[in-house]
């Protein structure tokens, strides 16, 4: 098994290195690719130093079985044919192909089998906020069909990449030192602030991030449920959180929901408000599961339920989900 990471120097690329090692991913060789800026850098993996190769249109992917790509939509679109032309399975973390009809969009806890039908050799990794939400919606969908979803996300600096995380830390330092605040990676200062915008606004008033949650949820869950989202950038460093309201065909009790969450793969129940126990990004950073708490009936809808979730956006929201897709393909013997 020969594996590649495209975009090895980015925040998600670095997380790929950690997760592949931590999960003892079965491979004989790892190849790292990057841009001209990162080519030549060296990273240690399983005791071996690996140099980042320049991503080019050549035959470098001829013997590679699986390529994890996380270098932006533009790079994914440009190099997709180069990566897949010899049968390499491309598991792409960008938004480039997510809504293409001939590219499966996969969260293994929800629709692993979709990964088996990939006419172009590409499997798309969904948006981080969508991944985290559908992992929690799936066990409830099995109790009663979800008709409607409202969600407010509270997304950390990590969602905008490693440089954005560094900028948030820099902003706090500049404020303490009385210096002008650097604002490059966000529309406004994020330190001591929240910004009700992630990605660009669309003609309907929603941002691109919010529309991703609408469209991707339907594709992953094979559902007609409509999702209305408000995505907000907050000043936590890592891990996203979401407040979720759902309406189901029949009422789901709080007890039923707790039992479903407790039994669901990839979900950890953390729900004891009497002891001030609920998920928080400070505690979910670096962990694999999505943590759920604050489970309540929706007072405005007899068929409604509301809950809070938090999870590491760089892990399950990106690199871990992609690795789990690859693990599934290996398990069922569906790699080239």
């Amino acid at each position: 098994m020969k594996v590649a990471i495209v975009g090895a120097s980015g925040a998600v690329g670095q997380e790929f290195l950690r997760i592949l090692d931590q999960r003892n991913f079965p491979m004989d060789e790892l190849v790292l690719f990057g841009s001209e800026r990162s080519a030549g850098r060296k990273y240690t993996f399983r005791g071996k130093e690996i140099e980042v190769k320049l991503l080019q249109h050549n035959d470098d992917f001829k013997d590679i079985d699986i390529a994890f790509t996380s270098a932006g939509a533009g790079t994914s679109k440009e190099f997709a044919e180069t990566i897949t032309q010899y049968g390499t399975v491309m598991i792409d973390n960008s938004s480039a192909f997510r809504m293409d009809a001939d590219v499966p969009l996969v969260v293994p806890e929800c629709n692993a089998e979709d990964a088996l039908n990939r006419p172009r050799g590409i499997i798309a990794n969904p948006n981080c906020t969508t991944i985290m939400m559908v992992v929690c919606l799936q066990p409830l969908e099995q109790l009663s069909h979800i008709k409607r979803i409202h969600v407010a996300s509270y997304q950390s600096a990590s969602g905008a990449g490693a440089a954005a995380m560094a900028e948030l830390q820099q902003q706090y330092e500049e404020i303490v030192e009385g210096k002008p605040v650097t604002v490059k990676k966000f529309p406004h200062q994020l330190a001591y602030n929240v910004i009700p915008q992630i990605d660009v606004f669309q003609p309907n008033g929603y941002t691109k991030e919010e529309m991703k949650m609408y469209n991707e949820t339907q594709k992953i869950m094979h559902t007609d449920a409509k999702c209305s989202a408000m995505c907000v950038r907050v000043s936590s460093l890592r891990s996203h959180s979401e407040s979720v309201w759902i309406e189901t065909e029949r009422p789901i009790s709080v007890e039923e929901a707790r039992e479903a969450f407790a039994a669901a793969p990839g979900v950890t129940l953390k729900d004891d408000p009497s002891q001030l126990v609920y998920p928080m990004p400070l505690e979910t950073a670096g962990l694999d599961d999505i943590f759920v708490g604050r489970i309540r009936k929706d007072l405005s809808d007899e068929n409604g339920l509301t809950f809070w979730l938090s999870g590491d956006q760089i892990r399950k929201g990106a690199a871990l989900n992609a690795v789990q897709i690859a693990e599934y393909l290996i398990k069922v013997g569906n790699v080239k």
Side-chain angles (χ1 to χ4, degrees), residues 213-233:
M213 297 193 77
Y214 179 98
N215 293 313
E216 292 179 19
T217 298
Q218 291 189 335
K219 184 173 181 179
I220 296 162
M221 297 184 68
H222 302 286
T223 182
D224 59 356
K226 292 179 171 60
C227 176
S228 182
M230 168 72 83
C231 294
V232 181
R233 185 77 68 193

Side-chain angles (χ1 to χ4, degrees), residues 1 65-66 87 89 118 326 328-336:
M1 180 68 63
D65 298 284
I66 296 171
V89 179
R118 46 178 193 278
Y328 171 77
L329 296 180
I330 292 169
K331 179 182 177 182
V332 300
N334 193 247
V335 181
K336 86 176 187 185

Side-chain angles (χ1 to χ4, degrees), residues 99 196 217 246 274 313 321:
M99 296 312 299
T217 298
I246 63 169
S274 66
Q313 161 272 336
N321 194 75

Side-chain angles (χ1 to χ4, degrees), residues 53-92:
K53 299 176 67 173
L54 178 64
L55 181 64
Q56 302 178 81
H57 293 290
N58 54 23
D59 292 338
D60 279 346
F61 289 87
K62 192 170 186 178
D63 299 319
I64 290 173
D65 298 284
I66 296 171
F68 299 106
T69 56
S70 186
T75 299
S76 291
K77 289 178 181 178
E78 180 185 347
F79 285 91
E81 188 174 341
T82 296
I83 293 169
T84 61
Q85 63 180 326
Y86 296 108
T88 300
V89 179
M90 177 179 174
I91 303 178
D92 184 51

Side-chain angles (χ1 to χ4, degrees), residues 28-72:
D28 302 299
E29 185 178 350
L30 178 64
V31 185
L32 306 180
F33 292 95
S35 64
E36 291 184 357
R37 186 176 56 188
S38 60
R41 292 184 188 177
K42 295 179 180 179
Y43 297 102
T44 300
F45 180 77
R46 295 180 181 170
K48 181 182 177 182
E49 197 173 65
I50 305 174
E51 184 173 324
V52 178
K53 299 176 67 173
L54 178 64
L55 181 64
Q56 302 178 81
H57 293 290
N58 54 23
D59 292 338
D60 279 346
F61 289 87
K62 192 170 186 178
D63 299 319
I64 290 173
D65 298 284
I66 296 171
F68 299 106
T69 56
S70 186

